[in-house]
Amino acid sequence: MGLKQLLTRAGFLITLGLLSACDSGTPAANQEATTSSEDKPARVALVMKSLANEFFINMANGAETHQKDNADKYELIVNGIRNESDLAQQVSLIEQMMATQVDVIVVAPADSKSILPVAKRAIDQGITVINIDNKFDQELMAKMGVSIPFVGPDNRAGARKIGEYLAQQLTAGDQVAIIGGIPGAFNAQQRQAGFEDAMTAADINVVSIQAADWEQAKAATIAAAILSENPELKAILAANDSMALGAVAAVRQAGRSDDVLVVGFDNISAAQDMVKNGSMLATAEQYGDQLAVFGIEYALQILESGQSPEDKNTPVDLVTQESLQ
């Protein structure tokens, strides 16, 4: 599903929401609207990162399928930004959802700090906010006096699983490189840390760590330079599959497919195909098609129970050629 389709659907739902919010101007009609609103499904906004990334397209599709099966419980508005680093657009999308008075915002923030002020404003407005995929900065939340539950995987543990599997194919002292996501994103930091944990434990030498901001083309350029500068390099650990695809392309271009291994994170279809055919060694499945669903279900529980929300871990599993057979 393309960005244009998603934004068209979002605009349609927003229009419906605005129309339904109009005042009829009579006390009887107002009383009827108040009574019926209690029985209305919750209005849930899903605000994601780049819709150019298959991971978030899968996330949107999973959420839409879940909503169709639970149409009596909630309505869904799906939004996403043009690229991974468009913070201003993501802030604007959240403000639009606030203006339409949604009940819930489930957000995969492009940055762990920059999106927090608008998320706090949403909470102050009475909206339930759930954080998925990329965790908000805990220290900044404490300073702001806000608590937003995170529903998602342990990225550090998941990355360590991948790194440990890679290390089994290497020898102590071998050289590897790490290509990370946006430096200010908590999940990027955690995945890098997990990779480093595994490499340190196996006495593998990390000769380069560079950020490609989750982007495939940028990762390809960075990987090409790393390969040129490090002729003894044995592997590249990419913090998401889009960047892993770029690294694989650079490895092929350098004619080093037989001696440089590549791992990723997310288990998008193109990466899974590469793991199957041996172009990539491994990736991680964090069930992207269900990640927003986990957040939505938790938000609905909170709305119904009024409970004080806490963080909630979701699964992350190693994907290898053997596991796909």
Side-chain angles (χ1 to χ4, degrees):
M1 183 180 296
L3 174 59
K4 184 176 180 181
Q5 293 170 294
L6 283 171
L7 292 179
T8 299
R9 178 180 289 119
F12 174 71
L13 288 170
I14 290 168
T15 301
L16 286 179
L18 288 171
L19 288 173
S20 67
C22 292
D23 194 331
S24 66
T26 66
N30 287 343
Q31 183 176 2
E32 181 180 347
T34 302
T35 302
S36 62
S37 68
E38 296 175 358
D39 300 323
K40 285 183 179 179
R43 300 183 68 241
V44 177
L46 173 60
V47 181
M48 301 173 294
K49 294 191 280 184
S50 174
L51 292 175
N53 186 334
E54 181 187 329
F55 179 78
F56 293 105
I57 295 174
N58 292 341
M59 181 183 290
N61 290 339
E64 289 177 337
T65 298
H66 184 267
Q67 190 278 330
K68 288 176 183 177
D69 294 336
N70 296 273
D72 60 323
K73 296 182 180 178
Y74 73 100
E75 299 171 359
L76 180 66
I77 304 169
V78 176
N79 290 294
I81 56 181
R82 287 184 294 270
N83 59 62
E84 299 281 0
S85 58
D86 196 342
L87 302 178
Q89 188 190 13
Q90 194 168 58
V91 169
S92 177
L93 288 173
I94 294 173
E95 289 175 337
Q96 290 174 33
M97 297 303 96
M98 292 166 61
T100 62
Q101 299 182 334
V102 296
D103 301 296
V104 172
I105 295 176
V106 177
V107 58
D111 182 86
S112 295
K113 295 182 178 181
S114 301
I115 307 300
L116 261 175
V118 71
K120 183 181 186 300
R121 283 194 279 125
I123 292 170
D124 292 342
Q125 186 175 302
I127 297 171
T128 297
V129 177
I130 301 293
N131 173 205
I132 62 171
D133 180 57
N134 177 34
K135 192 172 185 178
F136 281 127
D137 185 89
Q138 296 290 106
E139 184 177 342
L140 182 56
M141 279 201 295
K143 288 181 180 178
M144 295 173 65
V146 64
S147 177
I148 301 174
F150 174 72
V151 178
D154 185 330
N155 282 280
R156 186 167 188 164
R160 179 157 188 161
K161 286 181 185 179
I162 300 167
E164 288 173 344
Y165 184 75
L166 171 64
Q168 294 173 16
Q169 326 301 318
L170 303 175
T171 303
D174 280 349
Q175 296 181 1
V176 303
I178 296 173
I179 298 180
I182 294 173
F186 183 78
N187 58 347
Q189 297 165 1
Q190 289 294 288
R191 290 177 194 179
Q192 178 179 319
F195 287 154
E196 291 184 276
D197 290 343
M199 296 302 98
T200 298
D203 197 24
I204 304 298
N205 184 18
V206 180
V207 295
S208 180
I209 301 175
Q210 297 189 47
D213 301 336
W214 306 120
E215 302 289 347
Q216 181 174 337
K218 190 169 183 178
T221 300
I222 289 172
I226 292 173
L227 288 164
S228 176
E229 295 164 5
N230 300 276
E232 300 301 317
L233 195 77
K234 297 298 182 185
I236 296 174
L237 300 94
N240 80 346
D241 282 343
S242 292
M243 297 188 299
L245 298 182
V248 168
V251 168
R252 285 177 176 168
Q253 185 66 29
R256 299 186 60 187
S257 297
D258 292 335
D259 65 304
V260 177
L261 301 171
V262 177
V263 298
F265 200 113
D266 282 343
N267 196 31
I268 64 173
S269 59
Q272 186 177 118
D273 289 342
M274 287 189 172
V275 172
K276 287 179 180 177
N277 68 31
S279 300
M280 276 177 60
L281 179 68
T283 185
E285 173 63 88
Q286 58 169 328
Y287 305 95
D289 62 333
Q290 292 299 301
L291 195 52
V293 172
F294 296 146
I296 291 167
E297 289 180 335
Y298 196 36
L300 295 176
Q301 289 175 19
I302 292 167
L303 286 179
E304 183 176 349
S305 67
Q307 70 189 61
S308 178
E310 298 178 350
D311 289 356
K312 186 174 182 179
N313 281 334
T314 60
V316 55
D317 295 313
L318 179 67
V319 177
T320 67
Q321 195 173 56
E322 293 81 5
S323 71
L324 294 171
Q325 291 177 348

